[in-house]
């Protein structure tokens, strides 16, 4: 009787094999983070979902909505002591991680009148400048504290664990992966009524490139890439986006070519690629998944 043929390395389950990987997804209890956690867990990874709201994380774990190995790990990404406490848990339970998805984030000060040229704030340059000057300085600081700082501090706190993942004898040839969730807004030249958010996401994009370059130059076997989503359903986008609301929320000059928000499968699939063996040659890249919005908007 002939032996069963050996599955080719080009076979889909081998190309995107996540079995045995340990992943951490910040902000993994809701929205885009939950999409990502589901994609990783349902394809074989053990996924630690983090967030400040323990009850939200436990609800995800206990609901059975994700068919995979998901663990709640409370962590406030804006607090160094909280980050170190989570690191201690991971060190004791796993001793390594292979994938870190820096997803936690929020929107910041919004000038909802900015695109309405009939607003009194557009009376003249002085009036416009003063109206924008009146934005909350603390709001800007708070936004950077959640959208930029954690990418650096969480990554650096977990770098030794990621290095251990890259040296995992069960995963020869694999390099650990940091995936930063940025935004199409990091590249859009319009403010979209929120200068602070777009500027913070641009900082996150460049931080991705710097970390990728410096880790490579310092021979740290950890890849760093980013995914820049467009309009996806999340808490920041009110959970549900109707076709009528889509372009109003994107605030572009031209409607989004796809004429719909992105799906969880599209988000998860992009993360699975970067986290899998197939993504091991990608480093320092930012993948835009925005339905073509940036293709037609400045």
């Amino acid at each position: 009787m002939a032996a069963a043929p050996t599955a080719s390395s080009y076979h889909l389950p081998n190309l995107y094999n996540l079995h045995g990987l340990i992943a951490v997804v910040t902000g993994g209890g809701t929205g885009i983070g939950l999409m990502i956690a589901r994609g990783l867990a349902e394809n074989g990874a053990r996924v630690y979902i983090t967030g400040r709201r323990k009850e939200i994380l436990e609800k995800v774990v206990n609901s059975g909505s994700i068919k995979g190995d998901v663990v709640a790990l409370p962590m406030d990404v804006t607090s160094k002591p909280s980050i170190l406490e989570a690191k201690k848990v991971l060190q004791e339970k796993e001793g390594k991680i292979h994938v870190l998805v820096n997803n936690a984030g929020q929107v910041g000060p919004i000038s909802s009148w900015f695109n309405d040229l009939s607003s009194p704030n557009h009376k003249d340059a002085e009036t416009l400048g003063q109206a924008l000057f009146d934005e909350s300085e603390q709001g800007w600081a708070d936004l950077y504290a959640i959208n930029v700082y954690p990418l650096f501090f969480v990554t650096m706190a977990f770098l030794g664990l990621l290095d251990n993942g890259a040296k995992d004898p069960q995963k020869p040839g694999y390099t650990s992966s940091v995936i930063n969730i940025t935004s199409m807004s990091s590249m859009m030249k319009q403010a979209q009524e929120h200068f602070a958010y777009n500027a913070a996401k641009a900082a996150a994009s460049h931080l991705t490139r710097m970390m990728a370059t410096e880790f490579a130059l310092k021979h740290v076997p950890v890849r760093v890439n980013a995914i820049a989503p467009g309009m996806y359903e999340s808490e920041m986008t009110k959970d549900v986006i109707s076709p009528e609301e889509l372009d109003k929320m994107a605030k572009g000059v031209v409607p989004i070519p796809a004429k719909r928000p992105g799906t969880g499968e599209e988000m998860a699939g992009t993360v699975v690629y970067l986290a899998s063996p197939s993504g091991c040659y990608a480093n320092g890249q930012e993948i835009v998944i925005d339905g073509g919005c940036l293709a037609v908007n400045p």
Side-chain angles (χ1 to χ4, degrees), residues 144-166:
Y144 272 72
I146 183 69
N147 284 5
V148 183
Y149 305 164
L151 271 66
F152 182 81
F153 290 112
V154 174
T155 299
M156 298 312 170
F158 291 0
L159 194 59
L161 291 169
L162 287 159
D163 182 51
N164 290 344

Side-chain angles (χ1 to χ4, degrees), residues 137-216:
E137 184 179 4
Q138 187 60 50
W140 274 70
D142 291 344
L143 187 67
Y144 272 72
I146 183 69
N147 284 5
V148 183
Y149 305 164
L151 271 66
F152 182 81
F153 290 112
V154 174
T155 299
M156 298 312 170
F158 291 0
L159 194 59
L161 291 169
L162 287 159
D163 182 51
N164 290 344
K167 296 172 181 175
D168 187 348
Q170 302 301 315
K171 296 291 178 181
Y174 183 84
T175 47
S176 292
S177 175
V178 174
I179 302 169
N180 295 325
I181 306 303
T182 57
S183 171
M184 71 174 187
S185 296
S186 70
M187 288 165 268
M188 185 169 276
K189 295 176 184 177
Q190 294 171 271
Q192 298 173 289
E193 298 182 351
H194 39 56
F195 280 88
Y197 179 80
N198 291 24
K201 286 299 185 179
S205 294
H206 192 55
L207 186 56
T208 297
R209 291 185 287 271
M210 286 194 293
M211 289 194 294
T213 296
E214 293 294 357
F215 291 170

Side-chain angles (χ1 to χ4, degrees), residues 53-237:
R53 296 173 292 178
K54 183 179 180 181
E55 67 279 6
I56 296 294
L57 303 176
E58 291 180 342
K59 182 179 178 181
V60 171
V61 172
N62 297 328
S63 68
S65 58
I66 297 179
K67 309 304 179 186
D69 191 354
V70 184
V71 183
L73 179 63
M75 179 176 73
D76 179 354
V77 297
T78 67
S79 165
K80 279 188 171 183
S82 182
I83 294 169
L84 292 177
E85 185 60 33
K87 175 185 178 180
K88 180 180 178 182
V89 172
L90 291 166
Q91 184 68 62
E92 292 174 351
K93 288 189 173 183
E94 306 292 350
K96 63 180 178 292
I97 63 173
H98 304 88
V99 181
L100 169 62
V101 183
N102 287 311
N103 164 75
Q106 65 185 39
V107 73
I110 297 175
S111 300
S112 57
W113 51 267
F114 188 68
N115 288 342
D116 178 9
L117 296 182
S118 66
S119 167
N121 290 324
H122 286 289
K123 176 184 175 182
D124 52 38
E126 173 65 24
T127 305
L128 175 63
Q130 186 60 52
L132 291 172
F133 182 80
D134 287 341
E135 280 191 357
S136 167
E137 184 179 4
Q138 187 60 50
W140 274 70
D142 291 344
L143 187 67
Y144 272 72
I146 183 69
N147 284 5
V148 183
Y149 305 164
L151 271 66
F152 182 81
F153 290 112
V154 174
T155 299
M156 298 312 170
F158 291 0
L159 194 59
L161 291 169
L162 287 159
D163 182 51
N164 290 344
K167 296 172 181 175
D168 187 348
Q170 302 301 315
K171 296 291 178 181
Y174 183 84
T175 47
S176 292
S177 175
V178 174
I179 302 169
N180 295 325
I181 306 303
T182 57
S183 171
M184 71 174 187
S185 296
S186 70
M187 288 165 268
M188 185 169 276
K189 295 176 184 177
Q190 294 171 271
Q192 298 173 289
E193 298 182 351
H194 39 56
F195 280 88
Y197 179 80
N198 291 24
K201 286 299 185 179
S205 294
H206 192 55
L207 186 56
T208 297
R209 291 185 287 271
M210 286 194 293
M211 289 194 294
T213 296
E214 293 294 357
F215 291 170
L217 290 173
K218 271 63 176 182
H219 308 293
V220 177
V222 177
R223 296 174 293 115
V224 187
N225 294 287
I227 296 173
M231 303 306 295
Y232 283 73
E233 295 175 358
S234 71
E235 285 188 321
M236 285 200 306
T237 57

